[in-house]
Amino acid sequence: MNISKEQIDDLNAVVKVDISKEDYHDKVEKILKDYRRQANIPGFRKGQVPMGLIKKQYGRAVLVDEVNKLLQDNLNKYLNEEKLDVLGNPLPKQQDSFDWDREEFSFEFELGLAPEFDANLKTKKPVTHYKIVADKKMIEEQIERIRKQYGKLISKKEVGKKDEVTGTFTNQAEEIDHKSTLELDKIKNKKVLESLTGKKPGDVVTLKTKGLFKEDYLLSGALGINRDKADNLNIEVNFTIEEINERQPAELNQELFDKLFGKDKITSEKELKERLKADAEKQFEQQADQKLLNDVTERLIETTKFDLPSEFLKKWIQMTGEKPLSPEEANDEYEKSEKGLRYQLIEGKIIKDHNIELTFDELKEFTKGFIKSQMAQYGQMNPAEEELDAIAGRVMSNQEEVKRLSEQLMSQKLLALYKEKANLKVKEVTYENFVKEVYG
């Protein structure tokens, strides 16, 4: 067998594989002899079927199968030995005059080669690294919510402007019949507030749904309907008052601090504010990190210039999908996937240049950390190490889960690298301003 490569240009090559009779003959003969021993053909005793008949019936199929195995195994071996960085898979070139009755065969494969380039993390224009801070207003609002959540409900006979009113919303045409509790400080419409003020249990008030709440998302929960329906709803509903309560906020004292964080973990209002600020900013850090990862990715794609073997890749997309595509369809698919392919190559280059590796032990510890955080959501704060090991073992036996967790761990490692090496400009913002800048 002989394998040779013709370099077309920096991104394209053709590999030629020549297979002679000596490469496949003995293997084909052995398989056909095995077929002869096992063949049950009417008119012949088992094992006594003439070899000529066996070759006539099975010879071509066995030959094709063995030549294709030889071809695949040796082509892959050649690509690995020559360290050819191939995009997609080799594409066989069409041979109109190919003849399986010959004893020697030649096959040609088109290769699309990965480009050589440098991936520089120190981009000329810096990437914004947001540091989201919890400002005084946010902390005060959170404390107010906590005090209300842990406060006492005092029953009342008439509705006041800051009370909580429980009742049932009804609208026969829209099939609405849902019991809800209205927090009147979340009502947007002043006329609605006036119409509710002074009412008593048993009274029925007609309310317009459009613009009812300060936050639009509250409407779906209040009426017991899905969000899509609520977003466009502009009707009148009847609200039958059943119960009226005033929520008396909890005092900021040691009893409340212990309920929130455990006995004597927080001992003053100052410490409470510091803890709430730290917890909020830790949560915000995850959003800021994801934004940074996305922005560095975009900047690298924008600034790392290289060509791709685009015509080869379009042909590869056209020929290797679940169903054959037209040239136009393949071109569309290529345009959709080109950006992702570019970043895969850039990411691979960065990982190689900075010797980033994932070890089994690292992945196992990462998996255990993920499991621990999941368990904490269900109140299991201190699972035993043996239990974590057992669950991690089951998770890591699933290849899809291993792939997903490996990608997450690699993203963490890349993020740490970007924070250390990339050209970043730190910008301190409140969460409110972060949302405005990032999401408009």
Side-chain angles (χ1 to χ4, degrees):
M1 181 180 296
N2 181 56
I3 304 180
S4 58
K5 176 170 70 75
E6 178 189 357
Q7 194 75 30
I8 306 302
D9 56 38
D10 290 343
L11 300 174
N12 295 275
V14 173
V15 168
K16 185 178 180 182
V17 183
D18 294 321
I19 297 178
S20 66
K21 184 177 181 179
E22 289 76 16
D23 296 319
Y24 61 82
H25 180 264
D26 290 349
K27 182 71 173 176
V28 169
E29 286 296 311
K30 181 180 182 302
I31 292 172
L32 290 175
K33 285 177 183 178
D34 289 340
Y35 276 26
R36 185 186 182 210
R37 282 196 294 270
Q38 300 298 325
N40 286 309
I41 296 178
F44 299 95
R45 284 186 296 167
K46 187 175 180 180
Q48 299 300 315
V49 180
M51 182 57 80
L53 185 58
I54 293 293
K55 287 184 176 181
K56 184 177 180 181
Q57 189 162 348
Y58 302 109
R60 172 64 61 82
V62 172
L63 172 66
V64 171
D65 189 44
E66 287 307 308
V67 168
N68 279 326
K69 285 180 184 176
L70 267 175
L71 191 59
Q72 196 63 51
D73 291 345
N74 285 277
L75 180 58
N76 289 335
K77 183 179 177 183
Y78 175 80
L79 296 178
N80 288 328
E81 288 176 349
E82 295 295 314
K83 295 181 171 59
L84 294 176
D85 196 355
V86 177
L87 299 181
N89 293 310
L91 288 179
K93 292 186 74 173
Q94 186 68 35
Q95 298 184 61
D96 295 331
S97 59
F98 190 85
D99 184 3
W100 281 105
D101 289 327
R102 299 176 62 184
E103 293 185 340
E104 296 186 348
F105 309 105
S106 288
F107 301 89
E108 291 186 339
F109 295 86
E110 297 178 59
L111 304 182
L113 305 176
E116 292 186 5
F117 59 90
D118 292 320
N120 187 5
L121 293 176
K122 290 288 184 184
T123 54
K124 186 175 181 181
K125 184 180 178 182
V127 175
T128 301
H129 181 194
Y130 289 97
K131 177 176 172 53
I132 307 172
V133 296
D135 60 359
K136 184 178 178 181
K137 177 186 174 187
M138 173 177 280
I139 300 304
E140 293 294 346
E141 287 176 348
Q142 190 169 354
I143 289 175
E144 185 179 341
R145 286 193 296 272
I146 290 170
R147 292 184 66 196
K148 286 180 69 175
Q149 181 183 348
Y150 287 88
K152 296 178 182 177
L153 287 177
I154 301 171
S155 181
K156 293 181 64 178
K157 294 181 180 180
E158 290 187 359
V159 177
K161 289 188 176 180
K162 293 187 176 180
D163 291 340
E164 295 181 9
V165 185
T166 300
T168 301
F169 284 101
T170 55
N171 180 292
Q172 191 172 359
E174 295 293 335
E175 298 182 340
I176 293 171
D177 187 349
H178 187 69
K179 186 172 181 176
S180 298
T181 297
L182 292 181
E183 297 178 42
L184 297 195
D185 58 358
K186 294 180 179 177
I187 296 292
K188 180 179 180 181
N189 193 311
K190 290 183 179 179
K191 289 184 179 180
V192 169
L193 278 175
E194 290 172 3
S195 68
L196 286 166
T197 303
K199 293 295 187 292
K200 300 176 181 179
D203 288 345
V204 179
V205 183
T206 300
L207 308 175
K208 288 187 176 180
T209 58
K210 189 172 178 64
L212 179 59
F213 293 102
K214 293 176 182 177
E215 301 290 343
D216 291 338
Y217 73 89
L218 293 170
L219 184 63
S220 60
L223 301 184
I225 59 177
N226 66 53
R227 182 70 185 272
D228 290 339
K229 181 177 180 180
D231 285 345
N232 300 306
L233 199 63
N234 184 14
I235 60 172
E236 288 186 341
V237 290
N238 290 326
F239 181 63
T240 303
I241 297 172
E242 299 170 16
E243 186 180 340
I244 306 163
N245 291 295
E246 177 186 349
R247 187 173 288 273
Q248 188 177 64
E251 292 185 24
L252 289 175
N253 55 23
Q254 194 60 47
E255 182 183 355
L256 178 60
F257 302 154
D258 290 348
K259 283 181 182 177
L260 293 171
F261 300 105
K263 186 166 177 58
D264 296 331
K265 295 291 178 67
I266 300 292
T267 59
S268 68
E269 186 176 340
K270 181 184 177 184
E271 288 181 11
L272 173 65
K273 290 179 178 179
E274 289 172 350
R275 174 63 181 266
L276 293 177
K277 180 178 173 67
D279 288 351
E281 289 178 355
K282 187 175 181 180
Q283 289 183 327
F284 297 153
E285 188 177 359
Q286 294 178 4
Q287 288 180 266
D289 281 351
Q290 188 58 56
K291 173 65 176 166
L292 177 63
L293 195 61
N294 293 343
D295 288 350
V296 172
T297 297
E298 291 293 330
R299 186 61 53 82
L300 286 169
I301 293 171
E302 175 190 320
T303 58
T304 308
K305 304 296 183 184
F306 54 82
D307 292 327
L308 290 169
S310 55
E311 293 308 312
F312 168 84
L313 289 169
K314 290 173 187 177
K315 188 187 294 187
W316 178 70
I317 290 170
Q318 185 180 358
M319 295 175 64
T320 58
E322 290 184 6
K323 60 178 183 177
L325 302 178
S326 69
E328 293 76 16
E329 290 172 328
N331 187 67
D332 289 343
E333 286 298 314
Y334 173 74
E335 289 181 358
K336 290 176 188 174
S337 60
E338 182 186 2
K339 187 175 180 180
L341 174 58
R342 286 183 177 278
Y343 185 65
Q344 283 180 19
L345 292 170
I346 294 168
E347 185 183 81
K349 177 70 171 170
I350 291 169
I351 290 169
K352 182 180 178 182
D353 288 350
H354 295 275
N355 300 312
I356 301 176
E357 296 180 342
L358 297 183
T359 66
F360 175 82
D361 288 341
E362 283 178 321
L363 185 58
K364 184 178 179 181
E365 287 305 309
F366 180 76
T367 302
K368 286 164 66 175
F370 176 77
I371 294 166
K372 204 170 179 179
S373 66
Q374 292 290 100
M375 294 175 76
Q377 293 180 18
Y378 296 96
Q380 300 180 55
M381 305 306 294
N382 294 298
E385 195 67 21
E386 295 80 7
E387 184 180 10
L388 286 174
D389 281 331
I391 299 172
R394 290 197 296 272
V395 170
M396 294 179 72
S397 68
N398 184 319
Q399 290 303 309
E400 286 298 314
E401 282 297 303
V402 170
K403 181 175 181 291
R404 183 177 66 83
L405 290 164
S406 297
E407 288 171 352
Q408 290 181 7
L409 179 55
M410 181 56 74
S411 289
Q412 281 193 8
K413 290 199 167 200
L414 287 169
L415 181 65
L417 177 70
Y418 296 159
K419 286 181 177 180
E420 179 186 356
K421 302 285 187 181
N423 183 11
L424 305 180
K425 177 181 70 176
V426 177
K427 183 174 183 178
E428 197 170 284
V429 292
T430 64
Y431 184 71
E432 185 178 356
N433 287 335
F434 173 77
V435 171
K436 284 179 183 176
E437 284 194 32
V438 173
Y439 305 109

